Amino acid sequence: MKIKHFVEKVEGETELEFDFKNGIVNNVNIVFPFYRGIEEILRDRDALDALVITPRVCGICNHAHLLASARAIENGLQNAGVNINLTPKAISLREFTLYCEIIQSHFKWFYLIAMPQLANLNKLEISDNHILKASWANINTVKALAIFAGQWPHSSYIVPGGVTCDPTYEEIIQAEALIDDIIKFTQNEFLGLSIDEYYKTKEISSIKGDMGIILSMLKNQNMQEKGKSYDRFLTLGEHSAFTTGIYNQSLYSDANITYVKEHVQSGSKAKSVSYDNQFCEVGPLARAMLRKNNFILDIHNKYQDSALTRVCARMDELINLLIYTKDLLANLNVKELSCTLSKLPKDLEANGTGIVEAARGSLIHQSTIKSGKIQNYSIITPTQWNLSNGLEQSYGIATKAMRGSINTQEANFIFRTFDVCSVCTTH
Amino acid sequence: MENYDKSLKKIFTKRLQAVQKLPKIDGSKSIIDILEEKGISRRDFMKWASYMTAYLGLSSSFVPTVAKAAEVADRLPIIWLHMAECTGCSESLLRSDAPTIDSLIFDYISLEYHETIMAASGWQAEQNLEGAIEKYKGKYILMVEGGIPTKLDGHFLTLGAFAKTGQDVAKEAADGAAAIFAIGTCSSFGGIQAAAPNPTGAVPLSEITSKPVINVPGCPPSEKNIVGTLLHYILYGTLPALDAYNRPKWAYENRIHDLCERRGHFDAGEFVQSFGDEGAKKGYCLYKVGCKGPYTFNNCSKERFNQHTSWPIQAGHGCIGCSEPQFWDKMGPFEEPMADHLFHGPFGGLGADATVDKIGISLLTITAIGIGAHAAISAVKPPKE
Ligand code: SF4
Ligand code: SF4
C-alpha cells in the first residue's frame, strides 16, 4: 500500500511517499518538489558574491550560510598561504549571532511544531498562545542578534577577516538585557524551573512548564521507543560551544571532510549526502553526543537515539547556548579590531571549505575560485544529511527512524523531530 | 493642508464604511476581541495605530481612522502564497512589532495558506486555498512571496497533492483577487533565483498576470512596509501612488542615502577605506566599501529592522541594494563602490552594451557618476580631524 503525504509548514514543501507492509511503515521516500539553482547562479561570479547570494538559500538559517560563505573564503585564503588572524572579538561576535539564530529556531520548533503536532497526536486541545510565546521568544532573540548584525534575516555584517560592526558598551548591555529577558521567559514559561534547578535535575520528569507538557506528550506516544535510527552522529563545524567528530555506535573518532560525498537522488530535487558511504545524523543530538554532554548521554543510555532523546537534546542545547551567549558578551573586548583583512586580491586563486553548525546540523560550503571568480560552489545543508533517501540497501536517517510507525501521523511527527527545512535542502 | 486632510478624511470614512458593510471572515469575533484575548489593551492598540499613522505619512489627526482601518481588516481576507523563495519575507513579518499586533491582525485575516504559521497540512491546506479562492472571489487580497519559475513549464516548483505548478496556482489566485501585492524582491522583481543565468526562469509576479501588482520589495522588506501597504489599501481602496517600479511611494520614494545616519560623513568626505579601519570605528560613510545606498530606494534608514533595533549600515556594512530591480546582478560586485564598476556585469567585463542586452542593467548612471566623482574628489581632500 502506498500513501502520499504532504508535509508542509517546513519552509517550503516536502512530500513523503509511504510504503506500508503488514500495517506498519516499511519505507518512506522523501521528495522535495522544488529547485532554484543557487549553485548554478554562483558560477562565474566574483568570489565575494557568495556572501550575498548564499544566505538567501534559506530565510531560517541565513546567518549560518553567511558565516559558512565567509569561512569558505577564509579557508581558501589560508590554503593559498594567506594568514587569517581573526580577533577574539570578531570570533565571539560571530559565535554570539550564530547561537542566537540557533536559539530562536529551537524555540520555534518547540512552540510551532512540537506543541501543536503532539497535541494532535494525543488528541488534546491546547490554547493557541503557544504561537504568541514562539513569536515573543523569537522576536527578542533576533533583536539581540540584530544589535550586532544589523538585521535578521539576511544580515551582511560578516566579512572575510571578521565582522563589520564595532559595538559600544551600551549595545552590549542592551543585548545582555534581552538575553536576560529570554532566560526569564525560559525559566518561567518554557521549563517551569530555574536554570540552577534545571542543571541539578537528573530526571526529565522533573521538568515543568511548556517543556514538561511536551515531554509528557512524547512519553504518552511512547516516543522513547520510537524514531530510532543508526545511532551514528556527526558534527563538522568548529565552534567554541561544540566539538567536532563522529560517533558510531559507542565509538568516537575524528571527522574528516574528505569522506563527505553527495549523490543525486532520482525523483527528488535534493541530493543525498553520506560520510564514508554511511548516513549520519547531524543536529543538536549529534552535537550533544560529540560534546559528551552528561545529561544527554544518560538519556541516550536509556532510550538510545529515540525521538525523545532527539527532542531532549534540542531542549538542552537551547538552554546551554542561552547561558553561554552571556559569557560571550561578558568577555567581549571592544578595543580589539573587528576585521583584520582588507581587500581580497583581484586575481584570487583559492579552494576553500567553510563549515558551520546551523540549528539543524552541519552546513558545508565549498568553493573553487580562479582569477577572482567562482568556478564551482557547492552547498551541503543539514537537512540533506538527515533526510537523504536510501543508498543501495541502506535506508536514510529519517526513513530508518520512521520505519515501524503505525500510521502516517506518527511517522510525520518522527520526521519532524529532525526539524526539517525544505528551502535549504533544495537550494 | 487642513483642507486636504479634511477631504482625505472624507474619502477614508466613506471607504471604511463600505468595507465595514462586507461580511466578516469569522462572524463571532472582532479584531479588538482577538487582540484583547491575547492581552493587548486598547491603549497598546492605539499606540500602534499612531505609529502606523505617522509611518504612512499621515498627520496625527488620522490616528482614529487608521485604528478603524485595522479594525475592519477582518472584512478583507488575505491569501498568502509561497513561490520560489527562502521564506525570509515571512520571517520578517513574523518578527514584527511587539506585542505582535501586526502579526496578530495578519494571522487573523490570512486565509490559512500561510504555511509557516498554519496548523493544517497537506491535503487540507490545498483545499483551503482552493476553497478560499472560490469563496472569496473578487474580494480577497493576494500576497505572494517568491519568484515564479517558468522554465520546464513551471515544474521547478510544484505545490500540493496534485503537483500543480506554482505558476498555475499564482495565476489562478491572481485572477480572483481584489488587490495583488508582491511581497519581497523575489516576487516583485524575480530576486536571487532570477539572477543570471536564471536557471529556473524565475519571473516576477507581475509577469504572469495582466492585473496591476503593487510591489513591496526588499530582501526581506521590513515588516512595517508589508503591514503599511495593507493598511493603505484598506484606507484608500485604490492603488497607492506608485513609482516607476510599482513600489508605493510612501515607502520607497527616498533613497537610503537621503536619510542615512552616516550622510554627514559622506558630505564631509570621510570614508571607511576597509572594514576594521579607524574610519569604521568612527562610523564614517561606507560608500568606498561598496554601499549601494545612493542607488537604492527604500525607507530602511528611517524604519530599521527587527523592531527598529538596527539596520545594515548601523552594523557597519553598506546597503546592498536589495529592494531594487535585478538585485543582485545590478548591485554587484560586493564591497566595492558602484561607480568603479558601472560597466561590469557578472560576466567578467563584457562591456556596457553587452551587459545591458543580457541582463537589462538600468542604472541611474548620472547619479552614479555624480556620487563616484564626489567620492573621488573627497579622497584628495584631507578628511577633517
Ligand atoms: S525577497 Fe529575499 S527574503 Fe524574501 S523570499 Fe526572496 S530571498 Fe527570501
Ligand atoms: S553612501 Fe551609504 S553609508 Fe554613505 S551616506 Fe550614503 S547610504 Fe550612508
Side-chain angles (χ1 to χ4, degrees), chain A residues 36 56 59 153-154, chain B residues 84-90 145-146 183-187 191-193 218-221 327:
Chain A
R36 281 180 298 159
R56 283 156 176 93
H154 299 334
Chain B
E85 36 106 34
C86 76
T87 75
C89 296
S90 310
E145 176 182 4
I183 304 295
T185 300
C186 288
S187 183
I192 281 293
Q193 54 269 313
C219 189
F327 168 74

Side-chain angles (χ1 to χ4, degrees), chain B residues 34 58 71 87 108 135 147 152-153 158 169 183 196 216 226 236 249 254 269 285 291 306 335 350 369 372 378:
Chain B
I34 298 286
L58 298 168
E71 280 177 49
T87 75
Y108 186 56
K135 189 166 164 205
L152 271 188
D153 270 339
T158 56
V169 172
I183 304 295
V216 188
I226 304 175
Y236 290 83
K249 275 200 180 151
N254 291 317
C285 166
C291 180
N306 303 102
E335 328 291 33
L350 280 179
I369 288 170
S378 325

Side-chain angles (χ1 to χ4, degrees), chain B residues 290-296 318-321 328 331-338:
Chain B
C291 180
K292 310 295 189 281
Y295 320 100
T296 307
C319 159
I320 62 172
W328 166 249
M331 291 300 169
F334 208 31
E335 328 291 33
E336 275 177 49
M338 195 81 147

Side-chain angles (χ1 to χ4, degrees), chain B residues 135-150:
Chain B
K135 189 166 164 205
Y136 297 99
K137 210 171 198 115
K139 285 187 204 131
Y140 59 83
I141 297 169
L142 176 68
M143 297 203 163
V144 177
E145 176 182 4
I148 292 137
T150 56

Side-chain angles (χ1 to χ4, degrees), chain A residues 75-359:
Chain A
N75 178 253
L77 286 168
Q78 258 162 341
N79 292 341
V82 180
N83 250 341
I84 308 272
N85 287 315
L86 297 179
T87 61
K89 169 178 152 191
I91 295 174
S92 294
L93 284 168
R94 285 175 173 196
E95 299 282 281
F96 177 83
T97 51
L98 178 76
Y99 299 152
C100 284
E101 181 173 82
I102 297 179
I103 293 167
Q104 66 89 25
S105 177
H106 287 355
F107 270 128
K108 226 172 96 182
W109 187 86
F110 283 109
Y111 283 111
L112 296 183
I113 291 168
M115 264 291 193
Q117 292 221 348
L118 280 168
N120 242 337
L121 270 179
N122 284 277
K123 306 206 167 37
L124 291 174
E125 285 280 327
I126 49 163
S127 82
D128 62 356
N129 73 350
H130 57 277
I131 298 178
L132 270 192
K133 289 188 188 174
S135 100
W136 187 92
N138 267 310
I139 285 172
N140 286 291
T141 319
V142 294
K143 250 172 110 169
L145 187 169
I147 289 176
F148 306 108
Q151 81 184 112
W152 192 94
H154 299 334
S155 134
S156 44
Y157 98 113
I158 297 174
V159 289
V163 295
T164 64
C165 67
D166 253 303
T168 58
Y169 281 114
E170 200 193 329
E171 285 169 326
I172 295 169
I173 291 167
Q174 239 181 316
E176 277 174 335
L178 282 165
I179 299 289
D180 281 336
D181 280 349
I182 301 158
I183 291 176
K184 259 186 230 145
F185 167 85
T186 306
Q187 302 189 124
N188 298 341
E189 303 289 332
F190 186 64
L191 289 176
L193 292 178
S194 72
I195 298 290
D196 288 345
E197 284 167 327
Y198 173 80
Y199 280 122
K200 270 193 219 116
T201 182
K202 289 274 176 283
E203 277 302 321
I204 47 176
S205 57
S206 43
I207 292 168
K208 301 187 197 82
D210 296 328
M211 196 58 218
I213 300 173
I214 290 174
L215 288 168
S216 71
M217 291 195 289
L218 283 165
K219 284 245 168 144
N220 269 342
Q221 295 299 315
N222 232 359
M223 285 293 163
Q224 66 276 27
E225 301 298 333
K226 295 174 186 163
K228 293 181 191 172
S229 195
Y230 290 106
D231 208 18
R232 198 185 296 130
F233 303 104
L234 181 69
T235 301
L236 287 168
E238 283 178 27
H239 300 276
S240 50
F242 306 129
T243 309
T244 60
I246 176 156
Y247 169 102
N248 193 353
Q249 286 157 4
S250 324
L251 272 163
Y252 286 91
S253 46
D254 290 343
N256 185 331
I257 180 81
T258 54
Y259 288 115
V260 176
K261 264 203 198 83
E262 265 196 307
H263 320 259
V264 177
Q265 316 187 96
S266 64
S268 176
K269 285 167 184 134
K271 287 182 190 156
S272 77
V273 55
S274 65
Y275 182 91
D276 200 7
N277 288 318
Q278 290 183 313
F279 292 124
C280 300
E281 175 169 348
V282 296
L285 177 53
R287 292 191 284 253
M289 293 303 291
L290 285 149
R291 190 80 177 172
K292 300 190 180 144
N293 168 327
N294 283 328
F295 180 49
I296 299 303
L297 283 182
D298 279 353
I299 300 172
H300 178 266
N301 234 338
K302 275 194 218 143
Y303 309 123
Q304 299 77 48
D305 56 341
S306 64
L308 177 79
T309 316
R310 201 167 291 123
V311 175
C312 288
R314 185 167 296 123
M315 162 191 75
D316 194 58
E317 180 168 282
L318 190 163
I319 314 283
N320 294 337
L321 288 182
L322 206 44
I323 301 302
Y324 183 57
T325 53
K326 285 203 67 173
D327 290 352
L328 285 174
L329 291 179
N331 295 321
L332 212 57
N333 179 357
V334 293
K335 294 218 177 69
E336 286 168 1
L337 286 181
S338 293
C339 183
T340 47
L341 198 68
S342 47
K343 298 229 154 105
L344 294 187
K346 277 270 145 264
D347 49 354
L348 179 68
E349 304 274 329
N351 292 330
T353 306
I355 316 175
V356 166
E357 285 301 311

Side-chain angles (χ1 to χ4, degrees), chain A residues 6 8-9 13 33 35-36 45-46 49 56 59 104 108 128 135 139 143 150-152 156 164 269 346, chain B residues 38 86 91 95 100 115 118 122 155-156 160-161 193 196 219 306-307 309-311 315 317 328-329 333 336:
Chain A
F6 288 88
E8 283 180 86
K9 213 172 142 197
E13 199 167 326
Y35 176 75
R36 281 180 298 159
R45 285 176 187 271
D46 289 317
D49 281 14
R56 283 156 176 93
Q104 66 89 25
K108 226 172 96 182
D128 62 356
S135 100
I139 285 172
K143 250 172 110 169
Q151 81 184 112
W152 192 94
S156 44
T164 64
K269 285 167 184 134
K346 277 270 145 264
Chain B
K38 311 282 182 201
C86 76
E91 288 294 319
R95 266 135 209 73
T100 63
E115 302 139 25
M118 69 182 277
H155 279 92
F156 279 117
Q193 54 269 313
C219 189
N306 303 102
Q307 290 181 266
T309 302
S310 185
W311 66 303
H317 193 280
W328 166 249
D329 286 341
E336 275 177 49

Side-chain angles (χ1 to χ4, degrees), chain B residues 2-332:
Chain B
E2 212 168 284
N3 271 339
Y4 173 75
D5 276 9
K6 252 192 207 145
S7 60
L8 198 57
K9 220 173 268 168
K10 243 195 214 145
I11 298 173
F12 290 166
T13 317
K14 226 168 132 200
R15 159 80 179 156
L16 293 180
Q17 276 165 354
V19 173
Q20 197 164 17
K21 287 206 187 98
L22 298 171
K24 285 205 234 171
I25 304 170
D26 169 358
S28 60
K29 282 179 195 159
S30 72
I31 284 189
I32 296 295
D33 292 341
I34 298 286
L35 292 177
E36 251 163 38
E37 249 171 49
K38 311 282 182 201
I40 290 155
S41 68
R42 180 88 203 164
R43 218 174 131 244
D44 294 334
F45 176 67
M46 289 316 286
K47 240 167 70 194
W48 174 84
S50 40
Y51 180 79
M52 287 311 299
T53 308
Y55 195 67
L56 288 170
L58 298 168
S59 76
S60 58
S61 68
F62 282 92
V63 174
T65 322
V66 170
K68 182 82 196 166
E71 280 177 49
V72 298
D74 60 353
R75 271 82 169 172
L76 298 170
I78 291 177
I79 291 179
W80 182 296
L81 288 181
H82 290 266
M83 294 285 129
E85 36 106 34
C86 76
T87 75
C89 296
S90 310
E91 288 294 319
S92 172
L93 181 64
L94 288 173
R95 266 135 209 73
S96 188
D97 220 348
T100 63
I101 295 181
D102 302 341
S103 53
L104 278 176
I105 295 179
F106 232 91
D107 253 31
Y108 186 56
I109 59 176
S110 326
L111 281 181
E112 310 305 343
Y113 205 68
H114 198 285
E115 302 139 25
T116 321
I117 36 184
M118 69 182 277
S121 88
W123 296 87
Q124 185 65 41
E126 203 190 8
Q127 275 163 15
N128 281 354
L129 174 66
E130 297 201 325
I133 290 180
E134 207 33 60
K135 189 166 164 205
Y136 297 99
K137 210 171 198 115
K139 285 187 204 131
Y140 59 83
I141 297 169
L142 176 68
M143 297 203 163
V144 177
E145 176 182 4
I148 292 137
T150 56
K151 277 193 196 158
L152 271 188
D153 270 339
H155 279 92
F156 279 117
L157 170 72
T158 56
L159 300 161
F162 301 107
K164 255 196 189 166
T165 64
Q167 200 179 347
D168 288 344
V169 172
K171 244 189 223 150
E172 230 169 78
D175 281 346
I180 308 172
F181 303 151
I183 304 295
T185 300
C186 288
S187 183
S188 301
F189 306 127
I192 281 293
Q193 54 269 313
N198 195 348
T200 59
V203 300
L205 181 63
S206 55
E207 274 186 32
I208 61 134
T209 173
S210 49
K211 292 177 140 182
V213 175
I214 302 172
N215 291 330
V216 188
C219 189
S222 77
E223 64 271 14
K224 284 285 182 291
N225 284 358
I226 304 175
V227 178
T229 306
L230 172 71
L231 276 178
H232 196 285
Y233 175 73
I234 300 177
L235 282 171
Y236 290 83
T238 54
L239 302 185
L242 300 173
D243 73 359
Y245 296 117
N246 269 23
R247 298 176 286 202
K249 275 200 180 151
W250 64 266
Y252 296 90
E253 83 184 325
N254 291 317
R255 293 177 309 166
I256 297 295
H257 188 61
D258 296 338
L259 293 173
C260 175
E261 63 210 29
R262 300 193 184 215
R263 178 59 188 266
H265 293 296
F266 176 89
D267 293 342
E270 295 166 337
F271 295 100
V272 174
Q273 305 289 342
S274 82
F275 293 122
D277 71 3
E278 263 313 295
K281 261 199 163 2
K282 289 184 183 146
Y284 284 1
C285 166
L286 297 159
Y287 180 78
K288 292 199 170 171
V289 283
C291 180
K292 310 295 189 281
Y295 320 100
T296 307
F297 291 80
N298 206 337
N299 52 2
C300 317
S301 22
K302 211 166 76 191
E303 167 60 16
R304 292 155 208 261
F305 287 89
N306 303 102
Q307 290 181 266
H308 332 290
T309 302
S310 185
W311 66 303
I313 288 180
Q314 190 177 337
H317 193 280
C319 159
I320 62 172
C322 73
S323 54
E324 290 300 306
Q326 284 123 39
F327 168 74
W328 166 249
D329 286 341
K330 194 172 92 179
M331 291 300 169

